[in-house]
Amino acid sequence: MGMQIAFFLFSLIAIVGALLVVTTRRLFHSALALVLSFVGVAGLYILLEAEFLAAIQILIYVGAIALLILFAIMLTRHLMDPKARAFNDQWWIAALAAGFLFLILLAMIVRVPWPVRAVAVPQNLIENLGASFVGEYLVPFEVVSILLMAALIGAIIIARER
Amino acid sequence: MPLSWYLLVAAALFCIGLYGVLARRNAIGILMGVELMLNAVNLNLVAFWRYINPSDLSGLVFAIFVIAVAAAEAAVGLAIIISIYRNRDTVNVEEVDLMRG
């Protein structure tokens, strides 16, 4: 019962936060709502017993990505007149398309008999995760580190004053 | 809780993010929509990992890769937005049409 209450609470935080992100006119407020949504998803990770991922979610999404977005909003802020239109002319088509996609996903999720198995999470999960990063997934791990370094150098070069 | 509840939350987050990407005029707003969609994908990966086979870690590993790619995407995307702002004095995607045919 407690799990269900927590699930509904965190889902509500995540979904209401996401709705605020796409509906508020002021971009600064929608960045703050984005933080709310990330925290809700982190709570869902804890319910799914992926505590390590919840910690990463808080550190990287809330700590780094949301901060980066807030910086970008502040650097370009005076352009955004709060009275200007925040949405383009096709917003209602976008809403229809998103709603239609949700209905398709809903129908599919409800109908498919998912092969769920009630298995407990292994005790030494984080240890196994670390071992698989330097074992089975060594090459993708190195590729991701190269990607991150290339992206960060690229970001500095693109955003630099010329 | 059944697996489908988590999948429904993830589907809702994905569709809300999709709406944000399609409807926003500000490039930073679009980027926030993309972040929401990536979060929804991660929630799906973690839910499938937990409910189908928790001893196989590939779901978690992929979620961590998605987070790394999202961080790279945010850094490069925001750098491009700041560069466009400097050169063209706008962050509105409707006014950035240099490559229009």
Side-chain angles (χ1 to χ4, degrees):
Chain A
M1 194 61 204
M3 285 282 276
Q4 268 138 354
I5 293 171
F7 173 82
F8 282 115
L9 196 70
F10 285 130
S11 312
L12 203 71
I13 292 173
I15 289 176
V16 169
L19 281 173
L20 285 175
V21 169
V22 297
T23 51
T24 42
R25 305 178 63 78
R26 282 175 182 270
L27 218 55
F28 199 83
H29 294 174
S30 58
L32 295 178
L34 191 67
V35 171
L36 193 70
S37 180
F38 288 160
V39 171
V41 174
L44 290 177
Y45 288 161
I46 290 176
L47 288 185
L48 285 165
E49 295 175 70
E51 293 89 356
F52 180 62
L53 217 65
I56 292 184
Q57 168 93 357
I58 298 283
L59 283 175
I60 295 185
Y61 274 105
V62 179
I65 293 182
L67 204 72
L68 212 61
I69 289 173
L70 284 174
F71 265 114
I73 290 170
M74 286 191 275
L75 285 173
T76 60
R77 184 157 62 161
H78 69 271
L79 283 178
M80 286 313 285
D81 179 7
K83 286 184 286 294
R85 285 184 309 128
F87 305 99
N88 58 30
D89 297 333
Q90 289 103 37
W91 68 270
W92 58 277
I93 303 178
L96 276 181
F100 189 61
L101 178 68
F102 181 70
L103 288 182
I104 293 174
L105 290 174
L106 181 78
M108 193 198 75
I109 289 168
V110 173
R111 271 182 211 173
V112 173
W114 303 103
V116 174
R117 286 189 295 164
V119 185
V121 173
Q123 284 289 311
N124 46 357
L125 176 65
I126 296 174
E127 192 187 329
N128 289 351
L129 201 61
S132 67
F133 270 124
V134 290
E136 195 181 349
Y137 298 100
L138 181 63
V139 175
F141 182 69
E142 295 298 334
V143 170
V144 163
S145 52
I146 291 171
L147 170 81
L148 264 180
M149 195 176 71
L152 293 182
I153 294 172
I156 292 169
I157 289 172
I158 292 168
R160 188 179 57 176
E161 294 266 12
R162 265 177 279 257
Chain B
M1 266 152 307
L3 169 64
S4 53
W5 291 8
Y6 285 101
L7 299 185
L8 282 177
V9 172
L13 280 179
F14 188 88
C15 294
I16 293 167
L18 179 70
Y19 169 73
V21 170
L22 293 175
R24 279 272 180 201
R25 289 173 83 217
N26 189 308
I28 300 173
I30 292 176
L31 212 69
M32 287 196 270
V34 174
E35 297 297 341
L36 282 179
M37 289 162 83
L38 287 168
N39 249 282
V41 170
N42 262 350
L43 189 55
N44 257 355
L45 285 172
V46 177
F48 279 126
W49 161 76
R50 178 67 188 85
Y51 277 87
I52 296 193
N53 191 0
S55 53
D56 180 3
L57 293 175
S58 50
L60 277 187
V61 169
F62 264 85
I64 291 171
F65 285 155
V66 169
I67 289 176
V69 172
E73 174 250 273
V76 174
L78 291 169
I80 290 173
I81 290 167
I82 289 171
S83 174
I84 290 172
Y85 165 73
R86 250 198 220 115
N87 292 318
R88 315 218 8 160
D89 224 29
T90 182
V91 283
N92 181 348
V93 288
E94 286 172 349
E95 289 166 33
V96 184
D97 53 3
L98 277 173
M99 286 174 70
R100 176 181 249 167

